[in-house]
């Protein structure tokens, strides 16, 4: 076996708008060290840009992709590869988290879990979920995505010192302006972000925030951290909270 994918399905109960806003927030991730973000050639901009309906990061042994299912099936439908209208309709509001492991990672999983190749696919391998959780924590921290003003208020009313609050609010403002935790976007010192993230995590909030406009668009003011969803800690907003599907990929 050279590769397999571990897929967690998530459903936003409202509609496609909710899923789109959630992905918009998730695309503001911090890209972990030694990972690259997937880019595709953009005909309009005449250059490679991040995927429109997904965020995918990769290293030598695996890649993590968070994507909207509906636009993917829309393309297949338009190209004549999908005739099932019900399948297309069912994809509305669906967000998927998918870990695609390559051979080095599979061999590591097999060794550490003491399992066979077939057991890598039948749920005996707990390592993919652990890997997903580890990556999500590095990308987003552990707190939820709130409205900017609500996040600002929680920081201002916290028990932290004035110095810590000032640093947190500076980070919050910079991320709001630059739309992301990644230092290449927000021009923040990575050490500064690393220093304040434990405080954000302790308050259970994320420095990635939701604008009033986006909240009005989807009628949601709080989005759970994806880490909580994968760990089964929340049923708010997302349904089917513990669906893990493992499939073998093409060996070519």
């Amino acid at each position: 076996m050279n590769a397999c994918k571990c897929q967690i399905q998530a459903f936003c109960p409202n509609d496609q708008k909710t899923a789109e806003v959630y992905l918009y927030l998730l695309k503001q991730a911090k890209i972990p060290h030694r990972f690259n973000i997937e880019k595709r050639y953009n005909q309009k901009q005449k250059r490679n840009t991040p995927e429109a309906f997904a965020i995918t990061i990769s290293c030598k042994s695996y890649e993590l992709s968070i994507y909207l299912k509906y636009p993917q099936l829309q393309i297949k439908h338009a190209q004549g590869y999908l005739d099932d209208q019900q399948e297309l309709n069912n994809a509305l509001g669906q967000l998927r988290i998918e870990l695609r492991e390559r051979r080095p990672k599979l061999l590591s999983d097999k060794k550490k879990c003491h399992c066979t190749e077939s057991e890598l696919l039948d749920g005996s391998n707990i390592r993919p979920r652990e890997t997903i959780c580890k990556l999500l924590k590095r990308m987003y921290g552990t707190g939820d995505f709130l409205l900017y003003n609500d996040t600002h208020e929680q920081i201002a009313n916290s028990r932290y010192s004035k110095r810590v609050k000032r640093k947190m609010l500076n980070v919050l403002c910079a991320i709001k302006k630059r739309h992301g935790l990644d230092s290449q976007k927000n021009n923040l010192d990575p050490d500064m972000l690393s220093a304040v993230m434990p405080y954000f995590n302790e308050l259970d909030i994320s420095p990635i925030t939701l604008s009033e406009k986006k909240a009005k668009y989807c009628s949601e003011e709080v989005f759970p951290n994806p880490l909580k969803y994968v760990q089964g800690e929340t049923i708010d907003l997302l349904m089917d909270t513990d669906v893990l599907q493992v499939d073998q990929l093409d060996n070519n």
Side-chain angles (χ1 to χ4, degrees):
M1 185 192 302
N2 290 327
C4 78
K5 65 179 180 181
C6 305
Q7 184 182 97
I8 296 177
Q9 295 185 156
F11 296 88
C12 297
N14 287 353
D15 55 15
Q16 186 66 15
K17 291 180 180 180
T18 307
E20 289 172 1
V21 173
Y22 196 26
L23 181 64
Y24 170 79
L25 295 170
L26 296 177
K27 290 181 76 169
Q28 297 180 45
K30 176 183 178 182
I31 307 305
H33 182 54
R34 294 182 180 175
F35 280 79
N36 297 313
I37 187 165
E38 180 74 18
K39 295 184 178 182
R40 303 281 175 85
Y41 185 73
N42 189 308
Q43 288 285 356
K44 291 183 178 179
Q45 300 186 33
K46 305 299 180 184
R47 63 186 178 92
N48 289 331
T49 61
E51 299 167 284
F53 302 108
I55 174 171
T56 302
I57 63 170
S58 62
C59 63
K60 290 183 178 180
S61 355
Y62 54 91
E63 66 181 29
L64 176 74
S65 185
I66 305 173
Y67 63 96
L68 296 176
K69 187 62 179 176
Y70 185 68
Q72 183 189 69
L73 294 187
Q74 268 188 315
I75 294 173
K76 290 184 177 181
H77 181 70
Q79 293 174 341
Y81 296 115
L82 177 67
D83 296 326
D84 190 342
Q85 186 64 44
Q86 186 59 48
E87 183 179 354
L88 182 62
N89 293 339
N90 289 341
L92 279 167
Q94 188 179 133
L95 188 77
R96 291 192 175 185
I97 302 172
E98 192 168 282
L99 182 73
R100 302 163 190 143
E101 296 190 337
R102 302 186 182 99
R103 186 170 180 80
K105 184 69 167 62
L106 288 170
L107 291 175
S108 174
D109 288 353
K110 182 179 178 182
K111 181 178 180 180
K112 290 187 177 182
C113 291
H114 306 289
C115 57
T116 63
E117 284 196 2
S118 61
E119 287 174 334
L120 288 174
L121 300 176
D122 70 5
S124 300
N125 182 11
I126 62 172
R127 297 268 296 168
R129 190 181 295 274
E130 293 175 352
T131 299
I132 291 173
C133 290
K134 180 181 177 181
L135 281 176
L136 292 178
K137 185 175 181 179
R138 291 171 66 185
M139 294 167 72
Y140 305 106
T142 61
D144 296 335
F145 308 122
L146 280 59
L147 288 167
Y148 177 83
N149 289 340
D150 291 345
T151 305
H152 191 289
E153 183 179 359
Q154 287 208 33
I155 294 171
N157 294 334
S158 70
R159 58 178 176 77
Y160 301 135
S161 67
K162 290 182 178 180
R163 181 181 61 84
V164 170
K165 290 180 183 180
R166 184 171 61 253
K167 287 183 178 181
M168 293 178 72
L169 292 174
N170 287 340
V171 166
L172 186 71
C173 183
I175 290 171
K176 178 187 178 185
K177 290 180 179 179
R178 301 290 182 174
H179 303 295
L181 289 176
D182 200 71
S183 58
Q184 293 184 0
K185 287 185 177 181
N186 56 41
N187 296 323
L188 279 172
D189 181 349
D191 291 336
M192 179 183 291
L193 181 60
S194 297
V196 299
M197 277 305 294
Y199 298 108
F200 278 98
N201 292 341
E202 190 174 50
L203 291 178
D204 199 28
I205 56 176
S206 172
I208 298 172
T209 56
L210 184 66
S211 68
E212 295 282 352
K213 183 178 179 180
K214 292 288 185 184
K216 186 176 180 180
Y217 174 75
C218 68
S219 301
E220 294 287 347
E221 295 186 353
V222 178
F223 283 76
N225 188 293
L227 180 65
K228 294 181 180 180
Y229 168 70
V230 175
Q231 292 177 332
E233 296 177 13
T234 179
I235 57 173
D236 295 334
L237 185 65
L238 301 173
M239 299 185 297
D240 288 4
T241 58
D242 196 23
V243 180
L244 177 62
Q245 177 182 328
V246 184
D247 297 304
Q248 183 171 345
L249 296 178
D250 192 344
N251 284 337
N252 292 334

